Amino acid sequence: MKTETIFSKIIRREIYSDIVYQDDLVTAFRDIKPKAPVHILIVPNILIASINHVKHEHKQILGHMITTAAKIAKHEGIANNGYRLIINCNQHAGQEIFHLHIHLVGGHNLGPILIE
Ligand code: 5GP
């Protein structure tokens, strides 16, 4: 699957989103329907549809997504109390947008259950 989603337009700043971080590899922006006080999506700038589409050549990007998430968590002031990183893949996980993304959620006690 190689069809662009709305996330590509956000990355190119063709449509507005509250971008909190961007560099050559990744973009991070606030989720439009936050499920927690802090809910930020970290996405690769290139289109990778889902975690099923990750290839060996993407490992630098994947690692950078994780380190960026940790950096943003610190910046948002939630690193010490804790937070959760989530990647949904396909139907059973409820993936809606087929452009790989990490959900960074935190800012209150998230409990034992995953998102929704
Ligand atoms: P998924 O279910 O694919 O893991 O999560 C997709 C996420 O993208 C959802 O939490 C949804 O609220 C968010 N989202 C969908 N469309 C937009 C949008 O146009 N802008 C932003 N900022 N978030 C979006």
Side-chain angles (χ1 to χ4, degrees):
M1 200 186 309
K2 261 283 182 189
T3 313
E4 272 196 7
T5 74
I6 195 153
F7 286 3
S8 292
K9 292 187 168 64
I10 290 172
I11 292 161
R12 293 195 298 263
R13 297 176 187 251
E14 290 168 9
I15 64 163
Y16 175 79
S17 187
D18 187 357
I19 293 175
V20 298
Y21 180 82
Q22 187 167 47
D23 63 23
D24 288 350
L25 295 179
V26 302
T27 300
F29 50 90
R30 294 189 194 279
D31 196 289
I32 204 165
K33 288 185 193 160
K35 308 272 192 322
V38 175
H39 187 171
I40 291 168
L41 305 174
I42 298 107
V43 312
N45 291 342
I46 61 161
L47 175 54
I48 303 169
S50 80
I51 205 78
N52 281 344
H53 296 78
V54 166
K55 296 192 168 63
H56 186 73
E57 71 213 42
H58 297 139
K59 71 180 184 183
Q60 188 198 358
I61 294 172
L62 269 287
H64 193 54
M65 288 169 72
I66 300 279
T67 55
T68 299
K71 198 188 297 180
I72 293 171
K74 199 170 175 190
H75 189 258
E76 293 285 320
I78 62 171
N80 284 344
N81 283 335
Y83 55 91
R84 187 170 286 151
L85 302 182
I86 298 166
I87 299 176
N88 292 321
C89 183
N90 277 354
Q91 195 182 356
H92 281 186
Q95 184 179 3
E96 290 172 6
I97 306 285
F98 284 83
H99 185 134
L100 179 65
H101 49 282
I102 297 176
H103 295 257
L104 163 61
V105 285
H108 64 194
N109 195 326
L110 299 165
I113 309 288
L114 301 177
I115 263 190
E116 288 188 339

